[in-house]
């Protein structure tokens, strides 16, 4: 947290390595995600593959089904499986020494979703064609919005892409998925961005669900309870401010009830951030595609291709 991204040959190499690993793991995920598969096993296998390839997860593997747009990861003992005829988003992050790659793909297990996927993937391709130093982020949003609308769908207006810095997944600049007159920011050279259009056949915005399976350390507070203290120590040491899953703490305490209660208390005392599951407001299916780009002075490299 708070470490400024310095793009040198060495840090560029780490961003590229994270990107190559993310790309390989995404291809692996596309093979194991299928109707009937347990979401718990998918998340664990994706995260294990990231480590096998030489990276570390930059956040828990997100598997979001149908109207769930983002932030679903398996919880401890999660029995849920990929439903038949579903639309499944796989969003994964890899870091190498804190240098992050963030990428997502959506798999349609019913051909009725194919066109929505084409709309959103085309929007991402168009955005990647124009991203360069100096372009307004609102211009990128305008291109995403018009591409998705041309297919008869809506972009999700309250989800956006983001700038990335070392150990900082959302480092301040947002890349809107609609033409946003209020975002005056421009793409800066020597910066890293994740571009991630979301599209839907629904009303086009998400609301927070009740479930929370992902957290991150917000500040190091003094706590009395032994379990809370052990959680803070563990996540500080292992994740350095990056998001983590409830599931990743399963060896700290045997009772899930106790773990979740402690996590909720740490959210209340503002020591942890929490990321509720995000659901399309009209409960219609959502598609997402995402790549990470390294914007240099004279070239733009998509690290997760
Ligand atoms: Mn992502
Ligand atoms: Mn992202």
């Amino acid at each position: 947290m708070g470490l400024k991204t310095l793009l040198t040959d060495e840090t560029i190499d780490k961003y590229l390595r994270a990107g190559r690993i993310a790309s390989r793991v995404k291809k692996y995920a596309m093979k194991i995600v299928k109707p009937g598969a347990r979401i718990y096993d998918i998340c664990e296998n994706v995260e294990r593959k990231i480590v096998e390839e030489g990276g570390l997860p930059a956040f828990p593997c997100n598997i979001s089904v149908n109207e769930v747009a983002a932030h679903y990861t398996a919880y401890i003992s999660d029995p849920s499986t990929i439903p038949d005829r579903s639309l499944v988003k796989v969003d994964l992050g890899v870091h190498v020494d804190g240098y992050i790659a963030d990428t997502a793909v959506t798999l349609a297990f019913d051909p009725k979703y194919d066109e929505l996927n084409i709309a959103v993937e085309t929007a991402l391709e168009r955005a990647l064609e124009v991203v360069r130093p100096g372009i307004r982020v609102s211009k990128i949003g305008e291109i995403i919005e018009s591409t998705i609308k041309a297919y008869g769908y809506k972009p999700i207006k309250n989800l956006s892409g983001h700038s990335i810095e070392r150990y900082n997944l959302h480092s301040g600049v947002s890349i809107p998925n609609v033409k946003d007159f209020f975002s005056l920011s421009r793409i800066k050279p020597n910066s890293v961005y994740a571009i991630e259009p979301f599209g839907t056949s629904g009303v086009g915005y998400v609301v927070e669900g009740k479930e929370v399976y992902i957290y991150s350390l917000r500040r190091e507070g003094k706590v009395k309870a032994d379990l809370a203290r052990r959680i803070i120590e563990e996540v500080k040491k292992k994740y350095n401010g990056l998001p983590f899953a409830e599931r990743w703490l399963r060896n700290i305490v045997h009772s899930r009830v106790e773990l979740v209660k402690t996590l909720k208390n740490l959210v209340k005392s503002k020591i942890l951030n929490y990321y509720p599951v995000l659901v399309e407001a009209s409960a219609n299916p959502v598609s997402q595609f995402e790549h990470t780009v390294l914007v240099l002075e004279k070239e733009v490299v998509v690290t997760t291709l």
Side-chain angles (χ1 to χ4, degrees):
M1 281 188 287
L3 286 163
K4 195 85 188 88
T5 306
L6 281 174
L7 286 183
T8 61
D9 287 352
E10 198 185 332
T11 60
I12 287 172
D13 183 60
K14 287 172 180 171
Y15 273 121
L16 296 177
R17 271 161 61 197
R20 279 193 297 270
I21 295 166
S23 170
R24 279 202 290 271
V25 176
K26 187 168 68 175
K27 285 180 188 117
Y28 164 76
M30 290 166 78
K31 285 192 277 185
I32 63 169
V33 172
K34 49 188 154 197
R38 258 189 83 178
I39 294 177
Y40 191 97
D41 297 338
I42 295 167
C43 292
E44 290 278 308
N45 285 327
V46 163
E47 291 158 6
R48 172 154 34 81
K49 182 81 170 162
I50 290 170
V51 174
E52 278 173 14
E53 295 281 344
L56 287 169
F59 53 83
C61 172
N62 282 215
I63 302 289
S64 304
V65 174
N66 295 338
E67 72 273 17
V68 178
H71 296 173
Y72 190 100
T73 192
Y75 55 89
I76 293 170
S77 303
D78 189 347
S80 48
T81 55
I82 302 292
D84 288 335
R85 306 193 152 276
S86 54
L87 183 66
V88 182
K89 281 127 285 179
V90 179
D91 191 339
L92 61 96
V94 174
H95 78 88
V96 171
D97 191 28
Y99 299 94
I100 299 167
D102 182 3
T103 189
V105 63
T106 301
L107 301 172
F109 297 106
D110 187 317
K112 73 180 175 195
Y113 299 127
D114 286 350
E115 195 161 71
L116 173 59
N117 271 351
I118 289 168
V120 178
E121 193 169 18
T122 305
L124 176 57
E125 283 166 9
R126 299 259 161 85
L128 293 173
E129 280 162 15
V130 300
V131 60
R132 62 174 183 273
I135 190 173
R136 279 185 193 272
V137 298
S138 63
K139 183 69 192 170
I140 297 172
E142 183 183 341
I143 288 165
I144 289 170
E145 177 174 20
S146 63
T147 306
I148 291 175
K149 283 186 170 168
Y151 285 87
Y153 297 104
K154 282 186 181 155
I156 302 275
K157 63 183 174 194
N158 60 341
L159 289 176
S160 54
H162 47 95
S163 57
I164 289 174
E165 288 180 11
R166 189 181 182 206
Y167 284 113
N168 192 350
L169 184 58
H170 289 236
S171 71
V173 177
S174 289
I175 310 213
N177 288 324
V178 292
K179 181 173 182 170
D180 179 357
F181 295 99
F182 298 101
S183 48
L184 300 171
S185 321
R186 294 175 186 273
I187 295 290
K188 288 206 298 255
N190 300 313
S191 308
V192 180
Y193 301 89
I195 302 181
E196 50 181 315
F198 288 80
T200 181
S201 50
V203 290
Y205 63 95
V206 291
V207 293
E208 292 185 352
K210 284 198 271 299
E211 307 142 283
V212 181
Y213 308 119
I214 301 173
Y215 304 85
S216 71
L217 186 62
R218 178 170 171 174
R219 64 174 179 88
E220 289 168 45
K222 288 259 186 295
V223 288
K224 286 197 204 96
D226 177 58
L227 179 57
R229 202 171 51 240
R230 278 187 293 141
I231 289 171
I232 295 170
E233 274 167 26
E234 170 91 356
V235 304
K236 187 181 130 196
K237 187 177 66 189
K238 280 198 178 161
Y239 311 123
N240 201 7
L242 290 172
F244 61 88
E246 164 208 306
R247 178 168 44 82
W248 293 359
L249 299 172
R250 63 181 171 267
N251 293 326
I252 284 205
V253 59
H254 293 298
S255 152
R256 179 184 181 227
V257 176
E258 205 187 330
L259 173 61
V260 170
K261 197 175 78 185
T262 307
L263 290 169
K264 298 242 149 95
N265 283 335
L266 288 170
V267 168
K268 262 189 215 136
S269 47
K270 304 211 187 301
I271 289 173
L272 293 183
N273 297 308
Y274 67 111
Y275 304 91
V277 164
L278 299 175
V279 186
E280 206 279 329
S282 58
N284 277 286
V286 176
S287 168
Q288 173 205 19
F289 285 82
E290 179 176 25
H291 276 303
T292 297
V293 289
L294 192 55
V295 179
L296 303 172
E297 304 270 0
K298 296 217 163 92
E299 68 178 323
V300 173
V301 185
V302 182
T303 68
T304 46
L305 274 185

